[in-house]
Amino acid sequence: MRAAVIDRPGTPLVVEDLTLDEPRDGEVRVRMVASGVCHSDLHVRDGDWERPGPIVLGHEGAAMVEALGAGVTGLQAGQLVALTWYAPCLHCPACQAGRQWACSGSASVRHRMADETTRLHRTDGGEVLAYLSIGTFAEAQVVPATAAVPMPEGTPPEVAALIGCCVSTGVGAVVKTARVEPGSSVVVFGLGGVGLSVVMGAALAGAARIVAVDRVAAKLDVARELGATDGIVARDAAETLAAIRDATDGGPDYAFEAIGLPATVEQAIEVLPPGGTAVLVGLTPFGARASFEVFPFVDGSRRILGSNYGYAVAAIDFPRYARLHLAGRLPIDRLIDRRITLDGIEDAFARMRRGEGLRSVVTF
């Protein structure tokens, strides 16, 4: 099978032929049908995040089940599944408390299966890892059974793929992490796949004012289609913050940072009125730091929330988001503006660096 591999962070992807072992206990072999190209993949590709290699990148995917390993129940061949990049162990204290996004027993963070091995090999027999244990930039893959979540009948594969990362991250940040109340005011910094999913989540939650901020004016039009009430082209920080305050009667109840830049993290905190909450969703390069003035933060009883994966419990949330899409309440397909092959991923990364476009999706 063909897969997109990097030998180490900071090097280009190379599409090559790999061999794939059969699934073992608790594992599933799947045939990939769609994979989104996410900024987290770019962080690894560009060396912002240190990861072992060689490794097949990709972590936002949908696939068809082909074969089940021993002991796997609840799945069947021919079934469409969305893949979660944080396959829960289901046994650690966090999993037992219903916080699977904080699982401490998942081998996914080591890019291996539960037995600490990999099912991917080069033709010379050398090991190849799968990013976050699912490595969706591949024609086929063996994944943990807990990473494969059945989708409701009629779910488009590309929609299922995006539910696997950006939609759950963005929508979940609103409805699960922050629990935005109806009538609230919201600002969203950054309108990539995650930021636009935050906009959709805010509309779903009934926010009265949703202000979208990005330096690319065309993305503001998309945000308005998804529920934003206002759009601001990001310019000088002081000018941008003043425009946000004007649009939200002095500052938003919730400010979502969906880029992962220290400068916009600081803006999300600075723009808060007393009682406001900053929700940090975007992931920065390792070692990045941000700061804020402490006295007004404490004096105004402001809050900062970190939101990993939108607090996703994949087995519950993935089908729920799919049903909302099928009901017309989450227009997830609007996030996709380009369909590519494995050979087009490097170009998709280049678009992402330039801040162009929405979501590129690899179709197989």
Side-chain angles (χ1 to χ4, degrees):
M1 61 146 202
R2 299 175 77 236
V5 182
I6 61 169
D7 278 312
R8 63 185 183 281
T11 59
L13 284 168
V14 176
V15 178
E16 56 182 278
D17 290 320
L18 301 178
T19 60
L20 181 64
D21 298 341
E22 288 301 309
R24 301 180 187 176
D25 292 1
E27 299 172 359
V28 183
R29 188 181 76 232
V30 297
R31 174 174 54 84
M32 215 66 65
V33 289
S35 175
V37 181
C38 179
H39 206 278
S40 294
D41 299 307
L42 182 62
H43 276 306
V44 180
R45 159 62 180 86
D46 286 352
D48 296 333
W49 297 352
E50 189 59 42
R51 295 288 186 262
I55 188 168
V56 174
L57 286 186
H59 65 282
E60 185 177 75
M64 302 298 293
V65 174
E66 287 194 323
L68 307 179
V72 176
T73 59
L75 295 169
Q76 58 187 12
Q79 194 169 35
L80 176 70
V81 294
L83 301 176
T84 170
W85 51 259
Y86 205 40
C89 74
L90 303 181
H91 304 296
C92 72
C95 283
Q96 290 294 298
R99 299 192 304 272
Q100 292 182 7
W101 66 90
C103 173
S104 62
S106 177
S108 297
V109 294
R110 296 183 292 280
H111 318 288
R112 295 178 176 273
M113 306 303 287
D115 63 2
E116 299 297 336
T117 63
T118 180
R119 303 293 166 264
L120 296 168
H121 302 278
R122 283 180 162 149
T123 53
D124 63 4
E127 276 194 351
V128 179
L129 302 177
Y131 189 45
L132 295 169
S133 80
I134 59 175
T136 59
F137 292 167
E139 292 176 333
Q141 195 59 269
V142 169
V143 303
T146 57
V149 179
M151 289 287 95
E153 184 176 352
T155 305
E158 294 165 349
V159 167
L162 299 194
I163 287 172
C165 185
C166 73
V167 170
S168 293
T169 299
V171 174
V174 177
V175 302
K176 299 194 70 179
T177 306
R179 298 184 180 183
V180 169
E181 304 90 352
S184 300
S185 58
V186 168
V187 64
V188 184
F189 290 88
L191 300 176
V194 172
L196 289 171
S197 295
V198 172
V199 171
M200 286 194 294
L204 184 69
R209 184 59 61 89
I210 304 170
V211 181
V213 182
D214 199 283
R215 60 188 177 87
V216 180
K219 292 185 179 181
L220 302 180
D221 296 330
V222 179
R224 288 188 180 94
E225 293 176 22
L226 297 177
T229 58
D230 301 83
I232 295 172
V233 176
R235 305 185 190 280
D236 169 80
E239 182 181 347
T240 300
L241 295 181
I244 294 170
R245 291 188 177 104
D246 286 344
T248 56
D249 297 325
D253 299 314
Y254 297 90
F256 291 84
E257 201 282 344
I259 309 170
L261 293 175
T264 44
V265 168
E266 292 174 354
Q267 289 175 40
I269 297 169
E270 186 176 349
V271 79
L272 296 176
T277 300
V279 187
L280 308 187
V281 185
L283 293 171
T284 67
F286 289 171
R289 302 181 71 86
S291 63
F292 58 89
E293 187 179 356
V294 176
F295 182 87
F297 185 86
V298 177
D299 188 57
S301 297
R302 295 162 172 89
R303 297 189 302 162
I304 300 173
L305 298 176
S307 182
N308 178 30
Y309 210 173
Y311 283 14
V313 178
I316 296 172
D317 294 323
F318 285 12
R320 179 163 66 104
Y321 297 146
R323 286 191 293 269
L324 286 167
H325 171 76
L326 293 171
R329 299 180 64 193
L330 277 181
I332 296 168
D333 54 322
R334 187 62 186 85
L335 301 180
I336 303 167
D337 72 336
R338 181 174 290 192
R339 291 161 177 82
I340 62 174
T341 66
L342 284 175
D343 300 294
I345 296 174
E346 278 290 328
D347 180 61
F349 282 156
R351 291 178 77 222
M352 195 176 289
R353 292 187 195 97
R354 296 191 298 267
E356 296 176 0
L358 306 177
R359 208 55 155 197
S360 296
V361 174
V362 180
T363 57
F364 296 87

